[in-house]
Amino acid sequence: MFEAVLDTVVGMTDNEITEALRANELAARSAAAERAALIAVAENRGIYRITHRSSAGWLRSELDCGDGTIGRDRALARLLDTHPSIADALAAGRFSTDHALQIGRIFQNPRIANLLGTIVDVLVELAEHRSYAEFRGDIDALIEQLDTDGAFADLADAVESRDARVVDLNGEVVIEASGGDPIQAAQLVAVFETFVEAEYQHDLTQRRAEHPDDPEQWPLPRTAGQRRFDALIAMVAAAAASPDGRALPEPTVAIIIDDHSTHEVLTHAGITLPSGDMIDDQPIIADPDTGEQLDATMNGLAEALLDDPEAFLERRCETSTGSKIHPMIALRALLTGHVRRVVVDSNGHVIDYGTKQRLFTGPARQAALLLASTCIYPGCRLPARMCQVDHNEPWSTGGPTDQTNAVPLCGVHNRIKHRDGLTIVHDDHGRPHTQRPDGTIILPVGERPPDIAPTNPIDTILIHLKQLPAA
């Protein structure tokens, strides 16, 4: 059977394979929603009691799946049974099963699960228009903001249980490390990637020297994995040669935090107080009808969500690499000054950082790279610090050199953008999208076109006037 399917696929064009794969994913999402419905009804009826002690045992006997699959399916079933709007969107293929399971992390957290009903519609809309990696980061940030006590306990445990080993295993190097805090992680990753980039540039130089006429037609001397290994050895050697081997070198890691979160964490620490009063440590009422309460300690976001379910969309507390961090880590950076901190406004733009100039260099380039953690082209994960900063609206047509007109693109996708006449547009929430010349948006399967923020007509007229020949 598979051979027949394979023969059919081999006969397809590239576009047909792409469309068939997208259709297959839509079918898988619909099937996942149906599977969740079957499990939810089975558990509600207690079907398993006839032959088994637990629902998990019954599912193992009927489906012969691993415990990981069974646990995932049961969690998804409980989530969709409680929040039908998630089930409807998944069945329609608006986002992947993995997106739904990320929402389930809030549902499974007993300290903040009662807030999910307030924000579920916002999360469903956000999941549709965010890549999985971005959405997972959104959920990380939301949990950090809502469950501050639990998140800080996890952080403290990671710091307390930090460990590392370098072992000679039958003549081979085995290195393991875990724990620490997000700032240390971001610094270590940044240093490592700096050494990796140096090894990559060395390979490019060597290839150009060996094949000066047409170097790009030849493979690099080492694989990416070999360069990473050699970079690690070079990093260790550089540390050993340093006068102070314990000093973690630059580059600097930036922490991006919105003004609301900045105020809240300072207030919680007693450094600044609203109107001169002490922080209100009383519980807030989550549901006036039932009297259900929520602890408001260092949780201004939880209170804000009751009035505005979209309040969390304006919150950011993360490193420039996209790793979400606990507000208390940001506070440490604010107090010690060891990490550059950048405060953004409610639209996600950097406040008063950088100067207008022709090329994105110096502070302007650094600020532009803080707008995204990776290349913004769909599916690309190259870190922003290794990208080029591109003018969304070209300089030649009047595009300004500032953070609102800056997008990080890797070299390959920057060239593709200009070759194919692509542009970057933003939706009503400021999220970037790649637009084709015919006006359609490049979207993953199942995602509906977003509402694109209208272009300022005055800016459009000014740009047009700049293109007119001089009288």
Side-chain angles (χ1 to χ4, degrees), residues 219-242:
L220 292 172
R222 294 174 292 178
T223 66
Q226 290 170 340
R227 286 193 296 272
R228 289 193 296 270
F229 183 92
D230 294 346
L232 183 61
I233 298 301
M235 190 169 73
V236 173
S242 171

Side-chain angles (χ1 to χ4, degrees), residues 207-208 210-219:
R207 185 176 65 176
R208 284 193 294 267
E210 294 177 353
H211 308 283
D213 296 333
D214 196 7
E216 294 186 358
Q217 299 303 315
W218 296 85

Side-chain angles (χ1 to χ4, degrees), residues 242-413:
S242 171
D244 184 2
R246 294 182 58 84
L248 189 62
E250 296 290 346
T252 300
V253 175
I255 288 181
I256 309 169
I257 182 169
D258 66 274
D259 48 355
H260 291 293
S261 298
T262 303
H263 175 73
E264 286 173 6
V265 71
L266 290 172
T267 299
H268 177 72
I271 298 174
T272 60
L273 299 176
S275 304
D277 298 328
M278 295 298 294
I279 185 170
D280 185 359
D281 201 20
Q282 297 299 315
I284 59 175
I285 303 300
D287 188 339
D289 296 330
T290 64
E292 188 177 8
Q293 294 181 337
L294 178 70
D295 186 4
T297 302
M298 207 180 80
N299 217 337
L301 176 59
E303 187 173 10
L305 289 176
L306 302 180
D307 297 323
D308 180 12
E310 295 188 357
F312 74 90
L313 296 177
E314 299 178 356
R315 298 300 185 101
R316 292 182 73 184
C317 190
E318 61 191 55
T319 67
S320 55
T321 59
S323 297
K324 312 304 176 183
I325 62 174
H326 191 280
M328 294 303 291
I329 292 294
L331 175 63
R332 188 183 77 184
L334 288 166
L335 296 178
T336 64
H338 291 166
V339 178
R340 178 179 299 137
R341 56 266 187 202
V342 179
V343 180
V344 298
D345 62 17
S346 59
N347 294 318
H349 296 146
V350 178
I351 297 175
D352 294 331
Y353 193 120
T355 57
K356 291 185 177 182
Q357 55 188 45
R358 171 62 184 90
L359 297 177
F360 286 101
T361 59
R365 173 179 172 82
Q366 295 167 17
L369 291 177
L370 295 178
L371 297 177
S373 58
T374 65
C375 168
I376 57 93
Y377 194 86
C380 187
R381 300 297 303 279
L382 190 74
R385 61 179 170 273
M386 301 174 67
C387 292
Q388 303 168 2
V389 179
D390 182 59
H391 286 82
N392 183 27
E393 177 63 35
W395 172 266
S396 60
T397 61
T401 302
D402 59 24
Q403 279 69 62
T404 61
N405 191 43
V407 288
L409 283 168
C410 68
V412 171
H413 289 128

Side-chain angles (χ1 to χ4, degrees), residues 440-464:
T440 60
I441 306 294
I442 297 179
L443 297 172
V445 62
E447 180 179 347
R448 295 167 296 181
D451 293 327
I452 299 301
T455 303
N456 187 325
I458 301 300
D459 291 342
T460 301
I461 294 172
L462 291 175
I463 290 173
H464 176 71

